[in-house]
mmCIF file of all heavy atoms in Angstrom:
data_model
loop_
_atom_site.group_PDB
_atom_site.id
_atom_site.type_symbol
_atom_site.label_atom_id
_atom_site.label_comp_id
_atom_site.label_asym_id
_atom_site.label_seq_id
_atom_site.Cartn_x
_atom_site.Cartn_y
_atom_site.Cartn_z
ATOM 1 N N ALA A 1 0.330 40.943 64.178
ATOM 2 C CA ALA A 1 -0.394 42.098 63.875
ATOM 3 C C ALA A 1 -0.758 42.335 62.427
ATOM 4 O O ALA A 1 0.019 41.912 61.596
ATOM 5 C CB ALA A 1 0.510 43.356 64.312
ATOM 6 N N GLY A 2 -2.022 42.794 62.188
ATOM 7 C CA GLY A 2 -2.494 42.853 60.847
ATOM 8 C C GLY A 2 -3.334 41.636 60.396
ATOM 9 O O GLY A 2 -3.975 41.744 59.419
ATOM 10 N N GLY A 3 -3.212 40.522 61.080
ATOM 11 C CA GLY A 3 -3.877 39.286 60.862
ATOM 12 C C GLY A 3 -5.366 39.368 61.223
ATOM 13 O O GLY A 3 -5.848 40.336 61.767
ATOM 14 N N SER A 4 -6.048 38.274 60.945
ATOM 15 C CA SER A 4 -7.486 38.117 61.303
ATOM 16 C C SER A 4 -7.778 36.841 62.067
ATOM 17 O O SER A 4 -7.078 35.892 61.985
ATOM 18 C CB SER A 4 -8.274 38.052 59.978
ATOM 19 O OG SER A 4 -8.123 39.284 59.227
ATOM 20 N N LEU A 5 -8.799 36.926 62.811
ATOM 21 C CA LEU A 5 -9.426 35.728 63.495
ATOM 22 C C LEU A 5 -10.926 35.895 63.511
ATOM 23 O O LEU A 5 -11.511 36.983 63.529
ATOM 24 C CB LEU A 5 -8.941 35.646 64.943
ATOM 25 C CG LEU A 5 -7.545 35.207 65.304
ATOM 26 C CD1 LEU A 5 -7.193 35.401 66.734
ATOM 27 C CD2 LEU A 5 -7.273 33.688 64.739
ATOM 28 N N ARG A 6 -11.633 34.670 63.559
ATOM 29 C CA ARG A 6 -13.078 34.713 63.737
ATOM 30 C C ARG A 6 -13.378 33.910 65.033
ATOM 31 O O ARG A 6 -13.120 32.682 64.981
ATOM 32 C CB ARG A 6 -13.774 34.238 62.430
ATOM 33 C CG ARG A 6 -15.340 34.424 62.671
ATOM 34 C CD ARG A 6 -16.104 34.128 61.398
ATOM 35 N NE ARG A 6 -16.363 32.719 61.245
ATOM 36 C CZ ARG A 6 -17.516 32.238 60.600
ATOM 37 N NH1 ARG A 6 -18.318 33.061 59.963
ATOM 38 N NH2 ARG A 6 -17.651 30.954 60.479
ATOM 39 N N LEU A 7 -13.939 34.528 65.934
ATOM 40 C CA LEU A 7 -14.359 33.872 67.116
ATOM 41 C C LEU A 7 -15.802 33.381 66.978
ATOM 42 O O LEU A 7 -16.654 34.011 66.317
ATOM 43 C CB LEU A 7 -14.334 34.764 68.360
ATOM 44 C CG LEU A 7 -12.984 35.421 68.639
ATOM 45 C CD1 LEU A 7 -12.991 36.254 69.969
ATOM 46 C CD2 LEU A 7 -11.857 34.431 68.652
ATOM 47 N N SER A 8 -16.103 32.229 67.579
ATOM 48 C CA SER A 8 -17.400 31.695 67.541
ATOM 49 C C SER A 8 -17.952 31.521 68.992
ATOM 50 O O SER A 8 -17.144 31.128 69.865
ATOM 51 C CB SER A 8 -17.538 30.373 66.793
ATOM 52 O OG SER A 8 -17.233 30.540 65.424
ATOM 53 N N CYS A 9 -19.230 31.655 69.178
ATOM 54 C CA CYS A 9 -19.859 31.347 70.563
ATOM 55 C C CYS A 9 -21.076 30.553 70.273
ATOM 56 O O CYS A 9 -22.105 31.057 69.731
ATOM 57 C CB CYS A 9 -20.136 32.617 71.293
ATOM 58 S SG CYS A 9 -21.095 32.387 72.824
ATOM 59 N N ALA A 10 -21.043 29.263 70.687
ATOM 60 C CA ALA A 10 -22.259 28.414 70.482
ATOM 61 C C ALA A 10 -23.026 28.370 71.792
ATOM 62 O O ALA A 10 -22.585 28.151 72.862
ATOM 63 C CB ALA A 10 -21.794 26.932 70.196
ATOM 64 N N ALA A 11 -24.350 28.641 71.671
ATOM 65 C CA ALA A 11 -25.217 28.745 72.856
ATOM 66 C C ALA A 11 -26.093 27.528 72.872
ATOM 67 O O ALA A 11 -26.632 27.078 71.873
ATOM 68 C CB ALA A 11 -25.974 29.988 72.859
ATOM 69 N N SER A 12 -26.493 27.172 74.129
ATOM 70 C CA SER A 12 -27.531 26.122 74.294
ATOM 71 C C SER A 12 -28.187 26.454 75.568
ATOM 72 O O SER A 12 -27.674 27.119 76.532
ATOM 73 C CB SER A 12 -26.819 24.677 74.343
ATOM 74 O OG SER A 12 -25.918 24.661 75.589
ATOM 75 N N GLY A 13 -29.474 25.862 75.701
ATOM 76 C CA GLY A 13 -30.193 26.059 76.867
ATOM 77 C C GLY A 13 -31.050 27.408 76.895
ATOM 78 O O GLY A 13 -31.533 27.698 78.005
ATOM 79 N N LEU A 14 -31.050 28.101 75.772
ATOM 80 C CA LEU A 14 -31.883 29.319 75.754
ATOM 81 C C LEU A 14 -32.501 29.471 74.311
ATOM 82 O O LEU A 14 -32.002 28.774 73.438
ATOM 83 C CB LEU A 14 -30.976 30.600 76.134
ATOM 84 C CG LEU A 14 -29.630 30.742 75.302
ATOM 85 C CD1 LEU A 14 -29.895 31.373 73.872
ATOM 86 C CD2 LEU A 14 -28.671 31.647 76.130
ATOM 87 N N THR A 15 -33.494 30.311 74.230
ATOM 88 C CA THR A 15 -34.152 30.613 72.950
ATOM 89 C C THR A 15 -33.326 31.647 72.329
ATOM 90 O O THR A 15 -33.422 32.936 72.639
ATOM 91 C CB THR A 15 -35.599 31.050 73.186
ATOM 92 O OG1 THR A 15 -36.309 30.071 73.929
ATOM 93 C CG2 THR A 15 -36.341 31.265 71.816
ATOM 94 N N PHE A 16 -32.439 31.268 71.434
ATOM 95 C CA PHE A 16 -31.374 32.195 70.990
ATOM 96 C C PHE A 16 -31.897 33.431 70.349
ATOM 97 O O PHE A 16 -31.361 34.504 70.514
ATOM 98 C CB PHE A 16 -30.515 31.419 69.911
ATOM 99 C CG PHE A 16 -29.189 32.030 69.518
ATOM 100 C CD1 PHE A 16 -28.046 32.102 70.397
ATOM 101 C CD2 PHE A 16 -29.043 32.637 68.259
ATOM 102 C CE1 PHE A 16 -26.974 32.744 70.067
ATOM 103 C CE2 PHE A 16 -27.965 33.252 67.916
ATOM 104 C CZ PHE A 16 -26.952 33.353 68.740
ATOM 105 N N SER A 17 -32.928 33.422 69.503
ATOM 106 C CA SER A 17 -33.459 34.505 68.711
ATOM 107 C C SER A 17 -34.000 35.619 69.638
ATOM 108 O O SER A 17 -34.076 36.752 69.165
ATOM 109 C CB SER A 17 -34.563 34.131 67.763
ATOM 110 O OG SER A 17 -35.643 33.533 68.398
ATOM 111 N N VAL A 18 -34.286 35.468 70.861
ATOM 112 C CA VAL A 18 -34.799 36.506 71.806
ATOM 113 C C VAL A 18 -33.768 36.861 72.800
ATOM 114 O O VAL A 18 -34.068 37.504 73.862
ATOM 115 C CB VAL A 18 -36.118 35.999 72.475
ATOM 116 C CG1 VAL A 18 -37.272 35.716 71.471
ATOM 117 C CG2 VAL A 18 -35.901 34.722 73.368
ATOM 118 N N TYR A 19 -32.524 36.507 72.577
ATOM 119 C CA TYR A 19 -31.408 36.970 73.433
ATOM 120 C C TYR A 19 -30.510 37.902 72.674
ATOM 121 O O TYR A 19 -30.077 37.790 71.549
ATOM 122 C CB TYR A 19 -30.532 35.761 73.918
ATOM 123 C CG TYR A 19 -31.129 35.182 75.173
ATOM 124 C CD1 TYR A 19 -32.303 34.434 75.170
ATOM 125 C CD2 TYR A 19 -30.578 35.403 76.426
ATOM 126 C CE1 TYR A 19 -32.934 33.893 76.351
ATOM 127 C CE2 TYR A 19 -30.946 34.815 77.606
ATOM 128 C CZ TYR A 19 -32.206 34.156 77.507
ATOM 129 O OH TYR A 19 -32.797 33.481 78.698
ATOM 130 N N THR A 20 -30.088 38.950 73.368
ATOM 131 C CA THR A 20 -29.027 39.801 72.952
ATOM 132 C C THR A 20 -27.666 39.045 73.313
ATOM 133 O O THR A 20 -27.475 38.575 74.349
ATOM 134 C CB THR A 20 -28.976 41.127 73.617
ATOM 135 O OG1 THR A 20 -30.180 41.853 73.133
ATOM 136 C CG2 THR A 20 -27.756 41.952 73.270
ATOM 137 N N MET A 21 -26.826 39.088 72.297
ATOM 138 C CA MET A 21 -25.496 38.394 72.347
ATOM 139 C C MET A 21 -24.383 39.425 72.324
ATOM 140 O O MET A 21 -24.489 40.348 71.542
ATOM 141 C CB MET A 21 -25.331 37.257 71.291
ATOM 142 C CG MET A 21 -26.383 36.243 71.293
ATOM 143 S SD MET A 21 -26.476 35.227 72.796
ATOM 144 C CE MET A 21 -24.925 34.464 72.799
ATOM 145 N N ALA A 22 -23.320 39.254 73.077
ATOM 146 C CA ALA A 22 -22.320 40.123 73.203
ATOM 147 C C ALA A 22 -20.964 39.547 73.340
ATOM 148 O O ALA A 22 -20.771 38.420 73.662
ATOM 149 C CB ALA A 22 -22.629 41.186 74.247
ATOM 150 N N TRP A 23 -19.840 40.347 72.916
ATOM 151 C CA TRP A 23 -18.519 39.978 73.180
ATOM 152 C C TRP A 23 -17.960 41.059 74.109
ATOM 153 O O TRP A 23 -18.026 42.274 73.820
ATOM 154 C CB TRP A 23 -17.718 39.925 71.896
ATOM 155 C CG TRP A 23 -18.130 38.641 71.043
ATOM 156 C CD1 TRP A 23 -19.004 38.743 69.973
ATOM 157 C CD2 TRP A 23 -17.642 37.398 71.201
ATOM 158 N NE1 TRP A 23 -19.046 37.397 69.437
ATOM 159 C CE2 TRP A 23 -18.236 36.607 70.142
ATOM 160 C CE3 TRP A 23 -16.651 36.743 71.959
ATOM 161 C CZ2 TRP A 23 -17.977 35.333 69.960
ATOM 162 C CZ3 TRP A 23 -16.370 35.342 71.818
ATOM 163 C CH2 TRP A 23 -16.960 34.811 70.777
ATOM 164 N N PHE A 24 -17.194 40.564 75.027
ATOM 165 C CA PHE A 24 -16.407 41.338 75.983
ATOM 166 C C PHE A 24 -14.970 40.911 75.949
ATOM 167 O O PHE A 24 -14.637 39.788 75.504
ATOM 168 C CB PHE A 24 -16.917 41.442 77.459
ATOM 169 C CG PHE A 24 -18.245 42.141 77.631
ATOM 170 C CD1 PHE A 24 -19.392 41.505 77.259
ATOM 171 C CD2 PHE A 24 -18.228 43.347 78.234
ATOM 172 C CE1 PHE A 24 -20.694 42.209 77.461
ATOM 173 C CE2 PHE A 24 -19.411 44.061 78.371
ATOM 174 C CZ PHE A 24 -20.542 43.448 78.133
ATOM 175 N N ARG A 25 -14.039 41.758 76.382
ATOM 176 C CA ARG A 25 -12.679 41.309 76.483
ATOM 177 C C ARG A 25 -11.992 41.767 77.798
ATOM 178 O O ARG A 25 -12.361 42.855 78.248
ATOM 179 C CB ARG A 25 -11.829 41.720 75.289
ATOM 180 C CG ARG A 25 -11.647 43.149 75.054
ATOM 181 C CD ARG A 25 -10.912 43.457 73.666
ATOM 182 N NE ARG A 25 -10.626 44.838 73.570
ATOM 183 C CZ ARG A 25 -10.134 45.459 72.455
ATOM 184 N NH1 ARG A 25 -9.761 44.594 71.488
ATOM 185 N NH2 ARG A 25 -9.870 46.707 72.355
ATOM 186 N N GLN A 26 -11.052 41.111 78.247
ATOM 187 C CA GLN A 26 -10.340 41.519 79.495
ATOM 188 C C GLN A 26 -8.844 41.215 79.342
ATOM 189 O O GLN A 26 -8.412 40.061 79.215
ATOM 190 C CB GLN A 26 -10.962 40.778 80.657
ATOM 191 C CG GLN A 26 -10.370 41.224 81.913
ATOM 192 C CD GLN A 26 -11.247 40.810 83.210
ATOM 193 O OE1 GLN A 26 -11.961 39.746 83.043
ATOM 194 N NE2 GLN A 26 -11.171 41.542 84.233
ATOM 195 N N ALA A 27 -8.048 42.304 79.434
ATOM 196 C CA ALA A 27 -6.568 42.121 79.459
ATOM 197 C C ALA A 27 -6.081 41.950 80.890
ATOM 198 O O ALA A 27 -6.793 42.504 81.776
ATOM 199 C CB ALA A 27 -5.948 43.339 78.718
ATOM 200 N N PRO A 28 -4.956 41.501 81.084
ATOM 201 C CA PRO A 28 -4.387 41.315 82.467
ATOM 202 C C PRO A 28 -4.435 42.643 83.185
ATOM 203 O O PRO A 28 -3.959 43.547 82.666
ATOM 204 C CB PRO A 28 -2.972 40.698 82.315
ATOM 205 C CG PRO A 28 -3.127 40.063 80.930
ATOM 206 C CD PRO A 28 -4.052 40.812 80.116
ATOM 207 N N GLY A 29 -4.847 42.616 84.452
ATOM 208 C CA GLY A 29 -4.926 43.864 85.256
ATOM 209 C C GLY A 29 -5.897 44.918 84.920
ATOM 210 O O GLY A 29 -5.900 45.981 85.454
ATOM 211 N N LYS A 30 -6.733 44.590 83.896
ATOM 212 C CA LYS A 30 -7.785 45.576 83.510
ATOM 213 C C LYS A 30 -9.171 45.209 83.676
ATOM 214 O O LYS A 30 -9.395 43.866 83.849
ATOM 215 C CB LYS A 30 -7.591 46.003 81.987
ATOM 216 C CG LYS A 30 -6.213 46.713 81.841
ATOM 217 C CD LYS A 30 -6.203 47.291 80.357
ATOM 218 C CE LYS A 30 -4.903 48.112 80.173
ATOM 219 N NZ LYS A 30 -4.882 48.660 78.718
ATOM 220 N N GLU A 31 -10.148 46.007 83.768
ATOM 221 C CA GLU A 31 -11.548 45.627 83.897
ATOM 222 C C GLU A 31 -12.058 44.945 82.559
ATOM 223 O O GLU A 31 -11.525 45.288 81.484
ATOM 224 C CB GLU A 31 -12.400 46.782 84.239
ATOM 225 C CG GLU A 31 -12.079 47.439 85.546
ATOM 226 C CD GLU A 31 -12.947 48.609 85.972
ATOM 227 O OE1 GLU A 31 -13.722 49.060 84.959
ATOM 228 O OE2 GLU A 31 -12.982 49.076 87.128
ATOM 229 N N ARG A 32 -12.980 44.227 82.664
ATOM 230 C CA ARG A 32 -13.643 43.641 81.436
ATOM 231 C C ARG A 32 -14.417 44.790 80.534
ATOM 232 O O ARG A 32 -15.061 45.657 81.121
ATOM 233 C CB ARG A 32 -14.780 42.625 81.877
ATOM 234 C CG ARG A 32 -15.172 41.727 80.744
ATOM 235 C CD ARG A 32 -15.905 40.498 81.235
ATOM 236 N NE ARG A 32 -14.942 39.670 82.010
ATOM 237 C CZ ARG A 32 -15.220 38.481 82.484
ATOM 238 N NH1 ARG A 32 -16.467 37.916 82.211
ATOM 239 N NH2 ARG A 32 -14.471 37.795 83.176
ATOM 240 N N GLU A 33 -14.060 44.766 79.300
ATOM 241 C CA GLU A 33 -14.340 45.806 78.320
ATOM 242 C C GLU A 33 -15.305 45.389 77.304
ATOM 243 O O GLU A 33 -15.233 44.224 76.748
ATOM 244 C CB GLU A 33 -13.105 46.368 77.689
ATOM 245 C CG GLU A 33 -13.340 47.435 76.499
ATOM 246 C CD GLU A 33 -12.036 47.689 75.821
ATOM 247 O OE1 GLU A 33 -11.070 46.747 75.906
ATOM 248 O OE2 GLU A 33 -11.907 48.690 75.211
ATOM 249 N N PHE A 34 -16.488 46.127 77.027
ATOM 250 C CA PHE A 34 -17.373 45.853 75.983
ATOM 251 C C PHE A 34 -16.719 45.924 74.576
ATOM 252 O O PHE A 34 -15.951 46.851 74.356
ATOM 253 C CB PHE A 34 -18.561 46.857 76.080
ATOM 254 C CG PHE A 34 -19.577 46.730 74.867
ATOM 255 C CD1 PHE A 34 -20.466 45.704 74.865
ATOM 256 C CD2 PHE A 34 -19.563 47.647 73.908
ATOM 257 C CE1 PHE A 34 -21.312 45.576 73.857
ATOM 258 C CE2 PHE A 34 -20.375 47.525 72.853
ATOM 259 C CZ PHE A 34 -21.258 46.501 72.825
ATOM 260 N N VAL A 35 -17.125 44.959 73.826
ATOM 261 C CA VAL A 35 -16.565 44.988 72.365
ATOM 262 C C VAL A 35 -17.700 45.185 71.398
ATOM 263 O O VAL A 35 -17.707 46.064 70.546
ATOM 264 C CB VAL A 35 -15.804 43.652 72.089
ATOM 265 C CG1 VAL A 35 -15.394 43.660 70.569
ATOM 266 C CG2 VAL A 35 -14.649 43.467 72.994
ATOM 267 N N ALA A 36 -18.720 44.318 71.555
ATOM 268 C CA ALA A 36 -19.852 44.437 70.483
ATOM 269 C C ALA A 36 -21.037 43.568 70.989
ATOM 270 O O ALA A 36 -20.868 42.676 71.883
ATOM 271 C CB ALA A 36 -19.393 43.813 69.141
ATOM 272 N N CYS A 37 -22.166 43.895 70.497
ATOM 273 C CA CYS A 37 -23.373 43.101 70.809
ATOM 274 C C CYS A 37 -24.268 43.113 69.703
ATOM 275 O O CYS A 37 -24.245 44.150 68.792
ATOM 276 C CB CYS A 37 -24.054 43.540 72.074
ATOM 277 S SG CYS A 37 -24.879 45.187 72.060
ATOM 278 N N ASN A 38 -25.182 42.182 69.583
ATOM 279 C CA ASN A 38 -26.230 42.210 68.541
ATOM 280 C C ASN A 38 -27.523 41.634 68.990
ATOM 281 O O ASN A 38 -27.523 40.771 69.888
ATOM 282 C CB ASN A 38 -25.741 41.768 67.244
ATOM 283 C CG ASN A 38 -25.774 40.227 67.169
ATOM 284 O OD1 ASN A 38 -25.746 39.456 68.092
ATOM 285 N ND2 ASN A 38 -25.810 39.785 65.873
ATOM 286 N N THR A 39 -28.558 41.935 68.373
ATOM 287 C CA THR A 39 -29.907 41.308 68.554
ATOM 288 C C THR A 39 -30.512 40.844 67.171
ATOM 289 O O THR A 39 -29.875 41.053 66.091
ATOM 290 C CB THR A 39 -30.998 42.351 69.097
ATOM 291 O OG1 THR A 39 -31.120 43.439 68.157
ATOM 292 C CG2 THR A 39 -30.591 42.839 70.450
ATOM 293 N N TRP A 40 -31.536 40.082 67.304
ATOM 294 C CA TRP A 40 -32.093 39.635 66.001
ATOM 295 C C TRP A 40 -33.452 40.324 65.798
ATOM 296 O O TRP A 40 -34.276 40.374 66.765
ATOM 297 C CB TRP A 40 -32.317 38.112 66.108
ATOM 298 C CG TRP A 40 -32.890 37.483 64.803
ATOM 299 C CD1 TRP A 40 -32.148 37.128 63.680
ATOM 300 C CD2 TRP A 40 -34.262 37.287 64.474
ATOM 301 N NE1 TRP A 40 -32.974 36.589 62.712
ATOM 302 C CE2 TRP A 40 -34.225 36.788 63.088
ATOM 303 C CE3 TRP A 40 -35.389 37.489 65.053
ATOM 304 C CZ2 TRP A 40 -35.461 36.479 62.522
ATOM 305 C CZ3 TRP A 40 -36.638 37.159 64.395
ATOM 306 C CH2 TRP A 40 -36.600 36.755 63.158
ATOM 307 N N PRO A 41 -33.739 40.800 64.558
ATOM 308 C CA PRO A 41 -32.867 40.754 63.366
ATOM 309 C C PRO A 41 -32.024 42.025 63.292
ATOM 310 O O PRO A 41 -32.484 43.239 63.451
ATOM 311 C CB PRO A 41 -33.777 40.679 62.207
ATOM 312 C CG PRO A 41 -35.040 41.443 62.675
ATOM 313 C CD PRO A 41 -35.083 41.241 64.250
ATOM 314 N N GLY A 42 -30.699 41.871 62.944
ATOM 315 C CA GLY A 42 -29.942 42.962 62.365
ATOM 316 C C GLY A 42 -29.347 44.077 63.318
ATOM 317 O O GLY A 42 -28.598 44.778 62.807
ATOM 318 N N GLY A 43 -29.812 44.213 64.462
ATOM 319 C CA GLY A 43 -29.354 45.397 65.348
ATOM 320 C C GLY A 43 -28.033 44.978 65.901
ATOM 321 O O GLY A 43 -27.787 43.851 66.535
ATOM 322 N N SER A 44 -27.102 45.934 66.000
ATOM 323 C CA SER A 44 -25.777 45.695 66.592
ATOM 324 C C SER A 44 -25.161 47.014 67.077
ATOM 325 O O SER A 44 -25.458 48.083 66.557
ATOM 326 C CB SER A 44 -24.824 45.061 65.591
ATOM 327 O OG SER A 44 -24.635 45.836 64.392
ATOM 328 N N THR A 45 -24.294 46.930 68.014
ATOM 329 C CA THR A 45 -23.451 47.999 68.531
ATOM 330 C C THR A 45 -22.013 47.593 68.680
ATOM 331 O O THR A 45 -21.626 46.488 69.047
ATOM 332 C CB THR A 45 -23.965 48.471 69.958
ATOM 333 O OG1 THR A 45 -25.321 48.825 69.870
ATOM 334 C CG2 THR A 45 -23.160 49.590 70.405
ATOM 335 N N ILE A 46 -21.119 48.487 68.113
ATOM 336 C CA ILE A 46 -19.684 48.185 68.131
ATOM 337 C C ILE A 46 -18.953 49.237 68.903
ATOM 338 O O ILE A 46 -19.203 50.427 68.838
ATOM 339 C CB ILE A 46 -19.111 48.202 66.705
ATOM 340 C CG1 ILE A 46 -19.838 47.126 65.796
ATOM 341 C CG2 ILE A 46 -17.694 47.859 66.661
ATOM 342 C CD1 ILE A 46 -19.582 45.641 66.206
ATOM 343 N N SER A 47 -17.989 48.812 69.791
ATOM 344 C CA SER A 47 -17.174 49.742 70.518
ATOM 345 C C SER A 47 -16.323 50.588 69.583
ATOM 346 O O SER A 47 -15.913 50.108 68.603
ATOM 347 C CB SER A 47 -16.262 49.008 71.429
ATOM 348 O OG SER A 47 -15.254 49.851 72.045
ATOM 349 N N ASP A 48 -16.204 51.868 69.902
ATOM 350 C CA ASP A 48 -15.368 52.751 69.101
ATOM 351 C C ASP A 48 -13.881 52.213 68.989
ATOM 352 O O ASP A 48 -13.226 52.481 67.981
ATOM 353 C CB ASP A 48 -15.273 54.182 69.762
ATOM 354 C CG ASP A 48 -16.659 54.910 69.617
ATOM 355 O OD1 ASP A 48 -17.433 54.480 68.784
ATOM 356 O OD2 ASP A 48 -16.796 55.914 70.231
#
């Protein structure tokens, strides 16, 4: 607790700049939850 991590997602087979990319997470026994997404250039949304 209190530490940091940086996750990476490498994409292939798509035109990356015209795709919205997102992160979701899912804990055991729970539904998949939105975390964050972004578009190019510069638009993003972060979960509260």
Side-chain angles (χ1 to χ4, degrees):
S4 297
L5 285 172
R6 189 171 83 155
L7 306 183
S8 299
C9 173
S12 62
L14 54 78
T15 304
F16 191 75
S17 63
V18 298
Y19 273 74
T20 296
M21 304 297 298
W23 292 95
F24 289 77
R25 65 186 184 184
Q26 189 167 21
K30 294 188 176 182
E31 295 182 351
R32 196 163 295 187
E33 174 190 22
F34 173 78
V35 177
C37 69
N38 81 338
T39 60
W40 185 88
S44 65
T45 300
I46 301 290
S47 170
D48 287 343

